[in-house]
PDB file of all heavy atoms in Angstrom:
ATOM      1  N   ASN A 160     -20.684 -13.895   8.508  1.00 87.00           N
ATOM      2  CA  ASN A 160     -20.607 -14.305   7.157  1.00 87.00           C
ATOM      3  C   ASN A 160     -19.127 -14.498   6.788  1.00 87.00           C
ATOM      4  O   ASN A 160     -18.395 -13.549   6.566  1.00 87.00           O
ATOM      5  CB  ASN A 160     -21.226 -13.149   6.246  1.00 87.00           C
ATOM      6  CG  ASN A 160     -21.178 -13.533   4.790  1.00 87.00           C
ATOM      7  OD1 ASN A 160     -20.664 -14.573   4.360  1.00 87.00           O
ATOM      8  ND2 ASN A 160     -21.756 -12.676   3.964  1.00 87.00           N
ATOM      9  N   SER A 161     -18.642 -15.723   6.807  1.00 91.00           N
ATOM     10  CA  SER A 161     -17.223 -16.066   6.673  1.00 91.00           C
ATOM     11  C   SER A 161     -17.022 -16.926   5.444  1.00 91.00           C
ATOM     12  O   SER A 161     -17.922 -17.610   4.982  1.00 91.00           O
ATOM     13  CB  SER A 161     -16.631 -16.670   7.931  1.00 91.00           C
ATOM     14  OG  SER A 161     -17.237 -17.932   8.163  1.00 91.00           O
ATOM     15  N   GLU A 162     -15.730 -16.999   5.082  1.00 94.00           N
ATOM     16  CA  GLU A 162     -15.385 -17.823   3.919  1.00 94.00           C
ATOM     17  C   GLU A 162     -13.883 -18.225   4.114  1.00 94.00           C
ATOM     18  O   GLU A 162     -13.138 -17.506   4.725  1.00 94.00           O
ATOM     19  CB  GLU A 162     -15.527 -17.014   2.652  1.00 94.00           C
ATOM     20  CG  GLU A 162     -15.341 -17.823   1.366  1.00 94.00           C
ATOM     21  CD  GLU A 162     -15.713 -17.018   0.158  1.00 94.00           C
ATOM     22  OE1 GLU A 162     -16.347 -15.954   0.338  1.00 94.00           O
ATOM     23  OE2 GLU A 162     -15.308 -17.403  -0.953  1.00 94.00           O
ATOM     24  N   GLN A 163     -13.548 -19.366   3.536  1.00 95.00           N
ATOM     25  CA  GLN A 163     -12.156 -19.814   3.607  1.00 95.00           C
ATOM     26  C   GLN A 163     -11.582 -19.729   2.160  1.00 95.00           C
ATOM     27  O   GLN A 163     -12.093 -20.254   1.228  1.00 95.00           O
ATOM     28  CB  GLN A 163     -12.053 -21.237   4.120  1.00 95.00           C
ATOM     29  CG  GLN A 163     -12.401 -21.379   5.580  1.00 95.00           C
ATOM     30  CD  GLN A 163     -12.189 -22.808   6.106  1.00 95.00           C
ATOM     31  OE1 GLN A 163     -12.582 -23.760   5.429  1.00 95.00           O
ATOM     32  NE2 GLN A 163     -11.646 -22.878   7.296  1.00 95.00           N
ATOM     33  N   LEU A 164     -10.381 -19.045   2.114  1.00 96.00           N
ATOM     34  CA  LEU A 164      -9.695 -18.902   0.876  1.00 96.00           C
ATOM     35  C   LEU A 164      -8.429 -19.709   0.888  1.00 96.00           C
ATOM     36  O   LEU A 164      -7.579 -19.528   1.742  1.00 96.00           O
ATOM     37  CB  LEU A 164      -9.343 -17.389   0.683  1.00 96.00           C
ATOM     38  CG  LEU A 164     -10.440 -16.370   0.813  1.00 96.00           C
ATOM     39  CD1 LEU A 164      -9.938 -14.986   0.684  1.00 96.00           C
ATOM     40  CD2 LEU A 164     -11.525 -16.640  -0.219  1.00 96.00           C
ATOM     41  N   ARG A 165      -8.292 -20.600  -0.124  1.00 96.00           N
ATOM     42  CA  ARG A 165      -7.089 -21.452  -0.164  1.00 96.00           C
ATOM     43  C   ARG A 165      -6.204 -20.960  -1.301  1.00 96.00           C
ATOM     44  O   ARG A 165      -6.675 -20.548  -2.383  1.00 96.00           O
ATOM     45  CB  ARG A 165      -7.524 -22.930  -0.477  1.00 96.00           C
ATOM     46  CG  ARG A 165      -8.114 -23.620   0.728  1.00 96.00           C
ATOM     47  CD  ARG A 165      -8.262 -25.123   0.431  1.00 96.00           C
ATOM     48  NE  ARG A 165      -6.963 -25.721   0.104  1.00 96.00           N
ATOM     49  CZ  ARG A 165      -6.814 -26.620  -0.821  1.00 96.00           C
ATOM     50  NH1 ARG A 165      -7.770 -27.005  -1.615  1.00 96.00           N
ATOM     51  NH2 ARG A 165      -5.575 -27.131  -1.049  1.00 96.00           N
ATOM     52  N   ALA A 166      -4.936 -20.878  -1.072  1.00 97.00           N
ATOM     53  CA  ALA A 166      -3.894 -20.434  -1.991  1.00 97.00           C
ATOM     54  C   ALA A 166      -2.620 -21.132  -1.794  1.00 97.00           C
ATOM     55  O   ALA A 166      -2.311 -21.743  -0.720  1.00 97.00           O
ATOM     56  CB  ALA A 166      -3.783 -18.883  -1.831  1.00 97.00           C
ATOM     57  N   ARG A 167      -1.790 -21.012  -2.812  1.00 96.00           N
ATOM     58  CA  ARG A 167      -0.454 -21.551  -2.648  1.00 96.00           C
ATOM     59  C   ARG A 167       0.433 -20.667  -1.820  1.00 96.00           C
ATOM     60  O   ARG A 167       1.324 -21.061  -1.094  1.00 96.00           O
ATOM     61  CB  ARG A 167       0.253 -21.692  -4.068  1.00 96.00           C
ATOM     62  CG  ARG A 167      -0.458 -22.717  -4.973  1.00 96.00           C
ATOM     63  CD  ARG A 167       0.121 -22.645  -6.382  1.00 96.00           C
ATOM     64  NE  ARG A 167       1.541 -22.866  -6.387  1.00 96.00           N
ATOM     65  CZ  ARG A 167       2.277 -22.603  -7.457  1.00 96.00           C
ATOM     66  NH1 ARG A 167       1.759 -22.127  -8.562  1.00 96.00           N
ATOM     67  NH2 ARG A 167       3.620 -22.924  -7.423  1.00 96.00           N
ATOM     68  N   TRP A 168       0.102 -19.319  -1.844  1.00 97.00           N
ATOM     69  CA  TRP A 168       0.883 -18.334  -1.132  1.00 97.00           C
ATOM     70  C   TRP A 168      -0.048 -17.301  -0.477  1.00 97.00           C
ATOM     71  O   TRP A 168      -1.056 -16.936  -1.125  1.00 97.00           O
ATOM     72  CB  TRP A 168       1.906 -17.630  -1.995  1.00 97.00           C
ATOM     73  CG  TRP A 168       2.910 -18.510  -2.641  1.00 97.00           C
ATOM     74  CD1 TRP A 168       2.863 -19.105  -3.869  1.00 97.00           C
ATOM     75  CD2 TRP A 168       4.133 -18.907  -2.025  1.00 97.00           C
ATOM     76  NE1 TRP A 168       3.988 -19.823  -4.066  1.00 97.00           N
ATOM     77  CE2 TRP A 168       4.832 -19.765  -2.981  1.00 97.00           C
ATOM     78  CE3 TRP A 168       4.812 -18.610  -0.838  1.00 97.00           C
ATOM     79  CZ2 TRP A 168       6.101 -20.286  -2.755  1.00 97.00           C
ATOM     80  CZ3 TRP A 168       6.028 -19.152  -0.568  1.00 97.00           C
ATOM     81  CH2 TRP A 168       6.646 -19.979  -1.508  1.00 97.00           C
ATOM     82  N   LEU A 169       0.347 -16.799   0.690  1.00 97.00           N
ATOM     83  CA  LEU A 169      -0.321 -15.695   1.333  1.00 97.00           C
ATOM     84  C   LEU A 169       0.609 -14.518   1.450  1.00 97.00           C
ATOM     85  O   LEU A 169       1.718 -14.698   1.930  1.00 97.00           O
ATOM     86  CB  LEU A 169      -0.873 -16.114   2.674  1.00 97.00           C
ATOM     87  CG  LEU A 169      -1.479 -15.082   3.597  1.00 97.00           C
ATOM     88  CD1 LEU A 169      -2.691 -14.432   2.986  1.00 97.00           C
ATOM     89  CD2 LEU A 169      -1.702 -15.642   4.979  1.00 97.00           C
ATOM     90  N   VAL A 170       0.187 -13.364   1.052  1.00 97.00           N
ATOM     91  CA  VAL A 170       1.001 -12.140   1.168  1.00 97.00           C
ATOM     92  C   VAL A 170       0.352 -11.208   2.149  1.00 97.00           C
ATOM     93  O   VAL A 170      -0.838 -10.804   1.954  1.00 97.00           O
ATOM     94  CB  VAL A 170       1.173 -11.450  -0.176  1.00 97.00           C
ATOM     95  CG1 VAL A 170       2.021 -10.200  -0.044  1.00 97.00           C
ATOM     96  CG2 VAL A 170       1.811 -12.369  -1.208  1.00 97.00           C
ATOM     97  N   GLY A 171       1.088 -10.851   3.231  1.00 97.00           N
ATOM     98  CA  GLY A 171       0.542  -9.848   4.093  1.00 97.00           C
ATOM     99  C   GLY A 171       1.050  -8.456   3.748  1.00 97.00           C
ATOM    100  O   GLY A 171       2.232  -8.130   3.905  1.00 97.00           O
TER     101      GLY A 171
END
Side-chain angles (χ1 to χ4, degrees):
N160 183 359
S161 65
E162 188 173 345
Q163 290 185 317
L164 308 177
R165 287 189 60 220
R167 294 172 60 193
W168 298 92
L169 171 65
V170 179

